[in-house]
Amino acid sequence: MTEIERHSYDVVVIGAGGAGLRAAIEARLQGKKTAIISKSLFGKAHTVMAEGGAAAAMGNVNANDNWQVHFRDTMRGGKFLNSWRMAELHAKEAPERIWELELWGALFDRTKDGKISQRNFGGHEYPRLAHVGDRTGLELIRTAQQKIVALQQEDHAEHGDYEARLKVWAETTITRLLKDGDRICGAFGYVRETGKFVVFEAPAVVLATGGIGKAFKVTSNSWEYTGDGHALALQAGATLLNMEFVQFHPTGMVWPPSVKGILVTESVRGDRGVLKNSEGKRFMFDYIPEVFKDKYATTPEEGDRWYDDPDNNRRPPELLPRDEVARAINSEVKAGRGSPHGGVFLTVVDRMPGGAAEIVRRLPSMHHQFKELADVDITKEPMEVGPTCHYVMGGVEVDPDTAAAKVPGLFAAGEVAGGMHGSNRLGGNSLSDLLVFGRRAGLGASEYVDALDARPAVPDEIVDAATAEALAPFEREGGENPYAVHAELQTTMNELVGIIRKEEELRQALEALQKLRERVARVSVEPVAVNDGRGYHPGWHLALDLRNMLLVSEAVAKAALERQESRGGHTRDDYPQMSAEWRKVNLVCRLAGDPDDPHVELTRQPMPPMRADLLGLFETDELKKYLTAEELPADVVAPG
Ligand code: FAD
């Protein structure tokens, strides 16, 4: 019989990035016995890799900034498809979450007068990103971990046990959410090192598992990001929102091949970096879309002046939202004006007043990354960059205030949750999102637990089923190699559901995914020599992750086929315009059909109308660019 450990908690948080840690801290502060579960080492999450900073309208560098401006920028960046309530909560609460982080020990860069420094980033009207050089995510995680240790020390003083109310399960992967009837009763997973199975009994589970990038071939994401949280939510009966919106960051490394996709932070452009084509032209001036025409400089001279005098000049178009820049790079490469390795040039050479020393000081990680990985000295030579799959805006449908998903007891925060960023996320809005909604998810889960009459039970049958599912790849002999299937899945998604999409290719992708589904069902692995054959077995781990990537890919491809417009991170070659009618539509994915072989089913759900006071924050002329006639406030004349 397979040995299974059981542990009991009030709240189980799956994921130890910024959202997971902030949720767990909150649950523990609410007195809940909490577990943090992390697929990789504690401290290694995408949040650590976040370079640019956390967006919060503190107004430290430009006093004109406030939550209303941040809200407007976020809605514009998301092309008005955002959950406006999430965007409102985020803009209002982000400054408080940054100051709280500082109170817990975070050391942000300072302005000359000693305030937290804030830097420019694409789509943000004012300098808004609180940062620590280009290592902001690392500081966020370091601070949250320090807070966790402090709480564990308090628990030790009170209970004689550091882990009495907050325990970290590093290198432990969850493969199933467990349900008692219609509500959550825990989670099932394995410890990577030993392969041992663990049941986490808990009435509330917070998903904070991050993104889906590993479903694509060229990505800034690392190995853990296989859409687990998205797939776990679907399988538990929850819904996903607007999965067609995948952000291709404009600047990933393109050379050498072994590092293709690794991120080149937007801070490079925020700190005066410019994009050039093979003819040496700053091409972004040719790609300012109509909706942003009045907000961006039309000449390089004006764009350059903006860095020192933002009140009297417009920002350079290199700082347009990411979707715009990624599409522009794609077009330049397609037109034959790309760099030798299929990207374009990004350069900071001679762009900073303090010369090479300032480049190294402001962009230490980028300087190091290019020197080590590509033998390029960015103080002397341009970087070669191109789009890379970076972030998923689509995610678990949640209540904006409590982060509750559609299944009782399930909560989601951070990248795995949908809605906040609409069709395109602004850089820097993720780190603040993690803090704002991580806290809300921890609070929501705690309040849910407090309101329960009785804890749900964990029925043996569902544990048996989860165990059988996890062991299945060992039971099949001579089946498919998980690495080969993964490579094909990634190529399919990159080539057919990538940055520019069209109906015919999306249909081909769905056919390919159907064939891959049959192959995933046949994936097999051999036992290794230790721990019942399951100790540190990457092939087995991938075999289990494949199911998640497949489900998520199906959700992205189906939603991409359904949405017949171009908006944010979803560009349809055959429907190049943004449609006001489609803005009213959220595409919702759920699982349907045979429970043993379910498919993603899509429904259209109306977007709740924006509150009048929030609509009032925009110029009426701007609203007309996004909304249908009937959505416009009564005193606004509809476009002809
Ligand atoms: P993550 O930090 O991604 O953490 C997810 C956690 O879930 C990990 O601990 C992982 O191990 C765990 N996990 C996943 N699946 C399972 C499972 N099945 N079982 C158990 N655990 C699981 N955003 C910004 O705002 N500013 C930036 O400057 C910025 N720069 C970035 C740079 C890079 C290179 C990348 C990749 C992203 C960047 N982003 C940035 C985006 C941002 O970092 C992420 O969106 C954000 O950190 C996601 O945080 P999260 O807490 O939702 O999840």
Side-chain angles (χ1 to χ4, degrees):
M1 214 179 94
T2 313
E3 193 190 327
I4 300 175
E5 280 182 34
R6 283 187 180 238
H7 299 271
S8 189
Y9 295 94
D10 297 321
V11 177
V12 163
V13 178
I14 309 175
L21 297 190
R22 189 60 191 83
I25 289 170
E26 195 61 31
R28 159 62 186 77
L29 289 172
Q30 300 300 319
K32 299 292 164 282
K33 187 178 174 196
T34 304
I36 303 170
I37 303 171
S38 160
K39 193 169 172 177
S40 48
L41 293 168
F42 192 50
K44 189 208 167 284
H46 267 169
T47 304
V48 179
M49 295 157 80
E51 293 150 350
M58 298 185 283
N60 290 353
V61 174
N62 189 323
N64 293 323
D65 204 9
N66 55 42
W67 78 260
Q68 289 93 334
V69 188
H70 193 181
F71 171 78
R72 276 203 300 262
D73 288 346
T74 302
M75 293 299 297
R76 282 177 190 139
K79 303 259 165 52
F80 274 65
L81 202 82
N82 318 55
S83 151
W84 48 262
R85 175 66 178 154
M86 288 176 93
E88 178 194 13
L89 290 170
H90 169 256
K92 283 182 172 165
E93 294 178 7
E96 215 175 305
R97 297 282 77 77
I98 296 294
W99 287 317
E100 170 184 76
L101 217 54
E102 189 176 46
L103 215 61
W104 293 348
L107 296 168
F108 289 102
D109 288 356
R110 320 301 297 183
T111 59
K112 284 201 182 81
D113 52 353
K115 294 178 184 160
I116 293 175
S117 176
Q118 300 191 264
R119 65 158 49 115
N120 287 306
F121 236 54
H124 293 280
E125 188 162 340
Y126 298 118
R128 189 177 284 147
L129 269 68
H131 58 275
V132 185
D134 59 3
R135 294 174 180 143
T136 313
L138 178 64
E139 184 66 358
L140 190 159
I141 290 290
R142 186 197 67 74
T143 307
Q145 288 187 340
Q146 183 176 302
K147 179 71 181 169
I148 284 167
V149 170
L151 291 169
Q152 287 178 322
Q153 284 170 341
E154 277 178 24
D155 289 344
H156 184 257
E158 197 178 323
H159 302 279
D161 177 5
Y162 289 105
E163 294 176 334
R165 287 191 293 183
L166 195 47
K167 179 172 164 71
V168 177
W169 289 79
E171 295 215 87
T172 302
T173 303
I174 296 300
T175 56
R176 268 279 165 189
L177 296 178
L178 303 175
K179 276 172 76 185
D180 177 23
D182 68 348
R183 57 187 185 154
I184 291 292
C185 63
F188 175 94
Y190 62 87
V191 179
R192 289 169 58 81
E193 185 183 356
T194 59
K196 287 217 168 103
F197 293 126
V198 190
V199 169
F200 298 92
E201 299 174 345
V205 169
V206 178
L207 291 171
T209 49
I212 66 166
K214 275 295 166 192
F216 290 80
K217 189 169 167 186
V218 180
T219 177
S220 64
N221 287 197
S222 61
W223 63 267
E224 305 94 313
Y225 296 93
T226 50
D228 297 3
H230 293 77
L232 290 168
L234 272 180
Q235 284 176 317
T239 44
L240 303 184
L241 199 64
N242 295 335
M243 287 300 289
E244 63 278 31
F245 296 109
V246 176
Q247 183 170 83
F248 292 85
H249 193 291
T251 59
M253 292 178 80
V254 294
W255 186 259
S258 58
V259 300
K260 191 166 177 164
I262 289 185
L263 195 74
V264 179
T265 174
E266 193 167 319
S267 316
V268 178
R269 282 171 287 133
D271 284 348
R272 297 170 188 261
V274 291
L275 289 162
K276 292 186 177 174
N277 62 19
S278 59
E279 296 164 0
K281 182 177 179 192
R282 265 178 85 174
F283 58 84
M284 279 309 301
F285 290 93
D286 298 339
Y287 291 94
I288 305 173
E290 204 48 48
V291 283
F292 292 122
K293 270 261 147 58
D294 51 336
K295 299 202 164 43
Y296 285 81
T298 43
T299 63
E301 293 72 27
E302 183 188 1
D304 285 350
R305 282 197 304 270
W306 172 84
Y307 287 103
D308 300 315
D309 183 10
D311 292 338
N312 296 306
N313 294 285
R314 291 168 299 176
R315 54 189 28 241
E318 279 88 0
L319 292 178
L320 275 160
R322 289 175 177 175
D323 54 322
E324 309 290 357
V325 184
R327 273 192 297 272
I329 293 175
N330 201 58
S331 302
E332 286 296 306
V333 174
K334 253 183 151 171
R337 295 186 292 268
S339 65
H341 301 104
V344 294
F345 297 106
L346 171 64
T347 182
V348 282
V349 179
D350 296 332
R351 297 277 309 159
M352 292 198 196
E358 189 179 351
I359 294 174
V360 177
R361 184 175 61 75
R362 294 186 73 94
L363 301 168
S365 301
M366 285 302 105
H367 182 253
H368 180 79
Q369 178 174 314
F370 273 87
K371 197 80 203 95
E372 291 299 313
L373 301 180
D375 198 24
V376 166
D377 179 351
I378 67 167
T379 65
K380 299 195 180 89
E381 304 157 81
M383 299 157 251
E384 272 188 78
V385 296
T388 179
C389 174
H390 184 56
Y391 184 90
V392 61
M393 275 71 69
V396 180
E397 188 182 11
V398 289
D399 175 75
D401 289 73
T402 62
K406 296 285 177 195
V407 173
L410 186 62
F411 298 79
E415 190 170 342
V416 71
M420 159 66 206
H421 304 286
S423 67
N424 174 50
R425 172 178 71 86
L426 292 186
N429 267 1
S430 172
L431 289 192
S432 38
D433 163 5
L434 311 180
L435 297 170
V436 168
F437 294 104
R439 175 184 157 275
R440 282 183 169 272
L443 197 59
S446 302
E447 285 171 356
Y448 171 83
V449 172
D450 287 339
L452 285 176
D453 292 336
R455 286 175 71 96
V458 178
D460 284 342
E461 319 81 82
I462 57 170
V463 175
D464 293 345
T467 311
E469 177 185 55
L471 289 174
F474 291 106
E475 310 294 324
R476 308 176 196 122
E477 272 177 31
E480 293 275 355
N481 177 321
Y483 294 94
V485 178
H486 186 207
E488 198 161 323
L489 175 75
Q490 289 181 309
T491 305
T492 302
M493 291 303 285
N494 228 78
E495 290 180 2
L496 302 175
V497 198
I499 183 163
I500 309 286
R501 299 156 174 179
K502 46 179 96 132
E503 177 169 345
E504 191 192 325
E505 291 185 354
L506 291 167
R507 290 197 186 282
Q508 281 172 25
L510 284 166
E511 271 172 39
L513 290 173
Q514 178 57 32
K515 288 191 185 122
L516 282 164
R517 163 191 287 266
E518 289 153 24
R519 292 179 63 190
V520 168
R522 291 197 302 269
V523 159
S524 71
V525 294
E526 296 290 326
V528 291
V530 286
N531 296 334
D532 294 336
R534 304 198 301 272
Y536 256 129
H537 194 323
W540 174 48
H541 303 162
L542 179 61
L544 297 179
D545 293 345
L546 271 173
R547 175 206 68 188
N548 301 332
M549 283 186 275
L550 189 71
L551 272 182
V552 163
S553 300
E554 195 184 331
V556 174
K558 279 198 170 156
L561 178 62
E562 180 83 356
R563 186 173 288 275
Q564 295 179 334
E565 64 158 351
S566 291
R567 180 186 298 273
H570 171 64
T571 305
R572 286 284 299 259
D573 209 31
D574 39 1
Y575 296 95
Q577 302 305 326
M578 191 162 70
S579 139
E581 285 300 330
W582 267 106
R583 197 212 63 83
K584 293 192 298 184
V585 179
N586 281 319
L587 289 179
V588 173
C589 298
R590 52 174 59 76
L591 283 193
D594 176 358
D596 291 329
D597 187 25
H599 281 268
V600 172
E601 186 184 81
L602 270 188
T603 47
R604 294 183 184 195
Q605 190 168 282
M607 169 72 81
M610 198 192 293
R611 245 183 24 234
D613 58 314
L614 296 176
L615 271 182
L617 296 174
F618 295 90
E619 298 284 334
T620 50
D621 276 350
E622 183 168 20
L623 291 178
K624 287 182 199 169
K625 294 176 189 168
Y626 296 101
L627 307 187
T628 58
E630 62 272 21
E631 288 176 291
L632 291 170
D635 56 341
V636 177
V637 183

